[in-house]
Amino acid sequence: MNLSIRDVSKSFGDKQILDSLSFDVADGEFVSLIGPSGSGKSTLFSLIGGLLAPDSGDIWMNEERITNKSGTISYMPQQPSLFPWRTIMQNVLLGQELNGQKETDRAMEMLEKAGLGDVTHAYPHELSGGMKQRVAFIRALLSPQAFMCLDEPFSALDDFTRMDMQKWLLTTWEENQQSVLFITHNIEEALFLSDKIIILSSNPAHIKKEISIPFSRPRDEAIMLTPEFLDWKRYVLDIALN
């Protein structure tokens, strides 16, 4: 799925949040958005998902105008947002059920690959934070919409679990090759996961820089300790802070 943002602006009252944003996410591309808190990243997701309408500009998906149109993306928020009264299997199938589908066999296969095959009949309160995030990501993958928006899904996890989740996400994404727009405040995370990083300013947000990441795939976490990776981290940090 190809996403095109064209000259999108958004204000709330007298406060302008987004200022003429334009960028693209190509089919199968993993793109990260980074920027300071309050720079409008989550607002942009609400616009892409059709929950809000831009003041100006348009949003396109595969040549179709989706401005202020809902139901075109799958979404994974900062918190897993699992229904506590539904089992793990029932939670991952929710997006499909809302569209009159139910691929139980595929869901079971993905849960087993995620190390969750033994907890399909468990409830969310019985799972760790990392396990819940895996469930939320599988639910997004199984949703009929092929474009995924991930809003800081690992921000609440400890460093060890976060690294484990990053590696798992990368492996799972490489197997499925869906287009992803990913919000993060973590520069290392953005560099490790992404094909491209978009750096936003704040007050209001505009694009400071689009950076294509040169690291080949598949990627191993050992790359994060290389001089080249640290040089790229300094480069991105310098743009983000200046």
Side-chain angles (χ1 to χ4, degrees):
M1 300 293 283
N2 301 297
L3 175 73
S4 295
I5 307 294
R6 290 290 174 264
D7 297 315
V8 166
S9 296
K10 182 65 180 177
S11 299
F12 293 106
D14 296 331
K15 184 175 178 60
Q16 186 172 9
I17 306 299
L18 305 175
D19 180 19
S20 299
L21 294 189
S22 294
F23 65 88
D24 297 293
V25 180
D27 186 36
E29 192 174 35
F30 196 120
V31 177
S32 286
L33 286 171
I34 64 173
S37 296
S39 60
K41 299 183 294 297
S42 294
T43 297
L44 178 60
F45 270 16
S46 294
L47 292 168
I48 295 170
L51 300 178
L52 296 173
D55 299 332
S56 60
D58 279 307
I59 303 169
W60 299 79
M61 185 83 72
N62 281 4
E63 312 284 323
E64 177 187 352
R65 184 177 179 272
I66 62 167
T67 309
N68 203 27
K69 180 180 178 181
S70 61
T72 58
I73 65 167
S74 60
Y75 174 70
M76 181 176 172
Q78 294 180 30
Q79 300 299 323
S81 300
L82 304 177
F83 288 113
W85 60 87
R86 292 177 70 102
T87 66
I88 300 310
M89 177 62 79
Q90 290 169 341
N91 267 286
V92 300
L93 289 172
L94 179 62
Q96 290 193 343
E97 288 180 15
L98 294 174
N99 283 271
Q101 303 172 3
K102 197 180 237 189
E103 296 181 57
T104 306
D105 290 344
R106 183 167 179 240
M108 190 66 212
E109 178 184 353
M110 296 186 74
L111 286 166
E112 287 176 346
K113 284 184 178 180
L116 299 171
D118 294 334
V119 297
T120 57
H121 299 295
Y123 290 87
H125 73 272
E126 301 176 75
L127 274 58
S128 68
M131 293 169 78
K132 290 176 185 176
Q133 290 298 83
R134 282 183 169 90
V135 173
F137 185 64
I138 291 171
R139 178 180 60 192
L141 277 173
L142 287 170
S143 294
Q145 300 85 1
F147 192 96
M148 300 181 65
C149 288
L150 310 182
D151 190 353
E152 293 191 83
F154 309 141
S155 60
L157 302 177
D158 63 80
D159 288 344
F160 295 106
T161 306
R162 186 178 188 133
M163 186 71 247
D164 184 55
M165 286 299 302
Q166 289 169 1
K167 291 187 291 183
W168 177 81
L169 169 61
L170 204 54
T171 300
T172 306
W173 171 78
E174 286 169 349
E175 291 175 355
N176 291 271
Q177 287 293 301
Q178 289 184 234
S179 306
V180 172
L181 188 58
F182 184 91
I183 290 177
T184 180
H185 285 101
N186 188 304
I187 293 173
E188 288 188 353
E189 182 171 72
L191 284 168
F192 180 54
L193 296 174
S194 307
D195 297 307
K196 182 170 66 182
I197 295 175
I198 297 173
I199 303 174
L200 298 180
S201 69
S202 61
N203 303 317
H206 64 269
I207 295 175
K208 299 176 77 172
K209 189 80 172 178
E210 286 192 23
I211 301 171
S212 294
I213 306 304
F215 308 131
S216 61
R217 299 188 185 276
R219 293 179 189 167
D220 185 271
E221 70 268 26
I223 196 175
M224 300 173 76
L225 299 177
T226 63
E228 183 182 12
F229 189 93
L230 296 176
D231 286 343
W232 275 95
K233 181 180 177 181
R234 280 190 288 267
Y235 175 63
V236 174
L237 184 61
D238 183 63
I239 295 172
L241 293 178
N242 295 295

